[in-house]
Amino acid sequence: MPEDGRALEIELRVNGQSRRLGVEGSTTLLDALRDRLHLTGTKKGCDLGQCGACTVLLDGQRVVSCLTLAAQADGRDVITIEGIAPEGQLHPVQAAFIEHDAFQCGYCTPGQIMSAVALIQEGRATSDEEIREHMSGNLCRCGAYTNIVAAVRDAAAKMA
Amino acid sequence: MALFRYHRPGDLSEAHARAVTPGAMYIAGGTDLLQLVQERVTQPAEVIDVNRLAPPEIETSEGGVRIGAGAKLNAMAAHPLVRERYPVVAEALMGSASPQVRNMATAGGNLLQRTRCLYFRDVATPCNKRQPGSGCSAWDGQNRQNAIFGGSPTCIAVQPSDFAVALLACDAEIVLASPGGERRVPMADFHRLPIEAPEIETVMEPGELITAIELPDRAAQRRSRYLKVRDRASFEWAVTSCALSIRMEGGAVSEARVAVGGVGTKPWRLPNVEPAIVGQALTEQVITSAAERAAEGAEPRQHNAFKVPLLVGTVRKALREFAQMEAVQP
Ligand SMILES: Cc1cc2nc3c(=O)[nH]c(=O)nc-3n(C[C@H](O)[C@H](O)[C@H](O)COP(=O)(O)OP(=O)(O)OC[C@H]3O[C@@H](n4cnc5c(N)ncnc54)[C@H](O)[C@@H]3O)c2cc1C
Ligand code: SF4
Ligand code: FES
Ligand code: FES
């Protein structure tokens, strides 16, 4: 990391692959993923931490990438929607979202799915009430909430 | 996002030396600071990452519990020492923000988060806190969210941290460090009232770092709970909230802390409610008459007068639930 703190060279481990890239001190992880690494599955909704569209896993934990500096992710492990299942296959949560019609426009969906994957890992999918509470960081302007809860419940049961 | 430099200092003295230069700011989880940068409320020239200097450990210390300033909200809420000994703190944290934000946000940063006052976050309007001397748009404007305690025509912004309200009920102390050494400030004295300089929100000196929060053993001897009232069921700041930390002896209250959030320019204790329950059994009559005193001294403005009866109801409900909890597990 050079002394001036503005142009930084960082290394991220993204979806299992090591990626070196140059960023500004002020570049967010979201912008680094989308604009520098062209991983556009992660969406930008509010850019203020309020909608969850930009949710990724950082060292295995869900975070909003719009309020994370790329520099703070240096040397860490990032999983995006592109990395949750092997090429050409669906993750059980993705399959459940399709089966339950858990989206309309689809803009919030990558964030919903990343949050759901984390929530199931956290062991928080034991009731509909708990799913709703622990999915509350992901807003859906199309109002697909009922089907999202059904998809998460179903995926959690299948993954148990 | 507006450009700024990023630095990761090696030690406290380097961090301090950088932090006192103009335009420099500390960053921990970034969840409040980066919102403010995105909205152009704050424009740092340089951010100084404190994550290596503010440890995340949560451990016992002198009979109480010491929480490193770098502890994440979710990690604190899940920690057995916090959950078992200070349930009010765990409940306040679980009711804060979203799961994603709780994985990022730190204990230290949480206490320094800025107000949610609409005008503070809207750079097109006057605001004494954002631009000293420009006036307070909330005083005669949309002040539904604003404070009913501790304000003045200079500023009526609510300090929005749920965690801080729970810490106040637990008599917590904030540990501050600078190259000159360490000092401790009680939670009650940490935030300043926005009377002369609403832009200065705490008693921290420039460059000082929060390194830990200490919860005393005597608060762990009390039973506690947190009740939060908000505009939607989850993922929202408090309209009102109530943190209780109460010791019962022989069926009567022997010691009580009643702190409230969403209503004060800083976390607020209710001086008239506490003596109204001490020495009493928590009967419905005692609860109702104590809660009636919750909003004494309140100075509501045009759109936040509803907080007066809401606060009374919040304190009453919190006390009732506490009494029921005691009845089940005396
Ligand atoms: C969508 C959303 C919803 C939220 N809802 C709630 C809620 O319901 N209740 C609630 O209480 N909070 C809520 N929050 C606020 C959140 O809890 C705070 O943003 C967070 O705790 C700040 O911590 P941080 O580590 O991210 O701080 P940062 O944003 O990194 O820093 C905040 C400030 O603290 C300073 N700072 C940080 N650490 C230190 C340190 N160790 N020493 C000295 N200075 C330091 C920084 O310079 C900065 O000025 C919400 C936030 C978001 C984004
Ligand atoms: S209440 Fe405080 S923060 Fe809000 S507009 Fe007035 S001065 Fe600014
Ligand atoms: S874009 Fe990050 S939370 Fe909305
Ligand atoms: S499917 Fe359109 S926002 Fe959720």
Side-chain angles (χ1 to χ4, degrees):
Chain A
M1 209 172 272
E3 194 39 36
D4 84 344
R6 172 147 287 162
L8 309 170
E9 185 72 26
I10 62 165
E11 186 175 344
L12 304 176
R13 196 167 167 77
V14 183
N15 299 330
Q17 278 189 331
S18 171
R19 308 287 298 263
R20 285 185 166 279
L21 64 159
V23 294
E24 302 277 354
S26 50
T27 304
T28 62
L29 177 60
L30 175 59
D31 287 344
L33 290 169
R34 289 181 56 86
D35 301 345
R36 310 305 308 280
L37 299 177
H38 307 298
L39 291 166
T40 54
T42 307
K43 300 302 180 204
K44 183 183 285 190
C46 62
D47 232 3
L48 293 170
Q50 295 171 358
C51 76
C54 65
T55 303
V56 300
L57 306 186
L58 185 59
D59 289 341
Q61 294 202 309
R62 50 177 160 157
V63 299
V64 284
S65 57
C66 66
L67 296 183
T68 304
L69 290 180
Q72 292 187 300
D74 186 21
R76 300 171 71 182
D77 200 66
V78 183
I79 307 282
T80 69
I81 188 71
E82 290 90 347
I84 57 170
E87 187 75 41
Q89 292 179 35
L90 292 177
H91 185 280
V93 174
Q94 289 174 305
F97 266 64
I98 296 171
E99 194 177 325
H100 290 273
D101 205 10
F103 46 82
Q104 286 180 35
C105 77
Y107 197 82
C108 71
T109 311
Q112 300 279 1
I113 290 174
M114 295 311 293
S115 225
V117 167
L119 167 139
I120 293 167
Q121 271 168 15
E122 291 158 14
R124 296 274 193 192
T126 60
S127 67
D128 286 4
E129 200 187 332
E130 198 178 27
I131 293 170
R132 279 192 204 99
E133 171 62 27
H134 291 274
M135 288 295 289
S136 66
N138 293 80
L139 305 192
C140 174
R141 295 191 70 172
C142 299
Y145 296 112
T146 311
N147 293 1
I148 292 171
V149 173
V152 176
R153 188 202 311 131
D154 193 19
K158 287 191 174 132
M159 289 168 71
Chain B
M1 179 136 57
L3 292 179
F4 53 74
R5 299 185 302 277
Y6 171 87
H7 278 287
R8 216 181 270 158
D11 59 22
L12 176 65
S13 60
E14 191 199 337
H16 187 272
R18 280 193 177 278
V20 295
T21 61
M25 292 189 77
Y26 288 135
I27 188 168
T31 61
D32 193 46
L33 183 59
L34 296 181
Q35 283 185 70
L36 295 169
V37 176
Q38 295 285 27
E39 302 207 281
R40 303 198 172 259
V41 175
T42 305
Q43 293 177 338
E46 169 171 307
V47 302
I48 302 156
D49 192 336
V50 299
N51 283 295
R52 288 187 189 168
L53 304 177
E57 281 78 22
I58 299 167
E59 56 208 4
T60 51
S61 145
E62 293 164 25
V65 170
R66 183 180 168 102
I67 298 175
K72 306 290 185 185
L73 308 194
N74 260 342
M76 287 189 276
H79 200 285
L81 282 174
V82 179
R83 286 166 54 114
E84 284 157 23
R85 306 185 66 179
Y86 311 96
V88 65
V89 174
E91 289 168 12
L93 290 166
M94 279 313 282
S96 297
S98 65
Q100 291 96 314
V101 173
R102 290 196 297 270
N103 279 336
M104 308 164 67
T106 64
N110 185 278
L111 302 180
L112 299 175
Q113 64 174 298
R114 311 295 305 273
T115 184
R116 306 307 303 179
C117 176
L118 297 174
Y119 302 103
F120 174 72
R121 290 181 188 251
D122 176 359
V123 294
T125 59
C127 166
N128 285 328
K129 199 185 262 305
R130 176 168 34 74
Q131 211 180 340
S134 63
C136 172
S137 298
W139 183 253
D140 287 319
Q142 283 294 333
N143 44 38
R144 178 180 184 274
Q145 302 179 352
N146 293 70
I148 56 174
F149 292 122
S152 74
T154 314
C155 178
I156 46 170
V158 166
Q159 206 296 331
S161 165
D162 290 296
F163 181 48
V165 177
L167 292 180
L168 180 62
C170 292
D171 310 314
E173 289 192 332
I174 316 305
V175 183
L176 302 175
S178 66
E182 227 179 55
R183 63 182 180 125
R184 284 170 169 66
V185 178
M187 187 68 236
D189 302 333
F190 181 72
H191 291 104
R192 296 171 28 138
L193 292 176
I195 295 170
E196 265 142 38
E199 72 281 11
I200 303 173
E201 297 182 342
T202 71
V203 298
M204 289 175 73
E205 298 290 338
E208 233 175 351
L209 200 68
I210 304 179
T211 52
I213 291 157
E214 291 186 343
L215 291 156
D217 179 47
R218 69 176 184 282
Q221 306 305 320
R222 305 194 289 252
R223 292 274 181 84
S224 68
R225 68 167 278 118
Y226 193 70
L227 177 70
K228 180 170 176 177
V229 177
R230 37 190 165 178
D231 286 332
R232 56 182 181 189
S234 183
F235 195 18
E236 189 56 88
W237 279 271
V239 179
T240 56
S241 70
C242 178
L244 296 177
S245 174
I246 294 176
R247 187 181 179 117
M248 301 289 291
E249 269 173 289
V253 173
S254 61
E255 198 185 13
R257 301 281 184 276
V258 181
V260 290
V263 289
T265 53
K266 56 186 260 182
W268 208 257
R269 259 176 77 179
L270 298 180
N272 299 339
V273 175
E274 291 174 5
I277 58 173
V278 170
Q280 310 283 331
L282 287 176
T283 61
E284 180 58 25
Q285 203 200 336
V286 166
I287 290 172
T288 313
S289 62
E292 282 304 325
R293 310 199 60 183
E296 282 177 5
E299 296 177 302
R301 300 294 302 161
Q302 189 184 356
H303 304 112
N304 65 5
F306 76 99
K307 287 190 180 179
V308 168
L310 187 63
L311 182 65
V312 169
T314 306
V315 172
R316 189 171 53 221
K317 184 169 183 200
L319 285 169
R320 269 188 195 146
E321 290 181 1
F322 184 89
Q324 275 160 14
M325 203 166 76
E326 283 298 308
V328 178
Q329 32 162 223

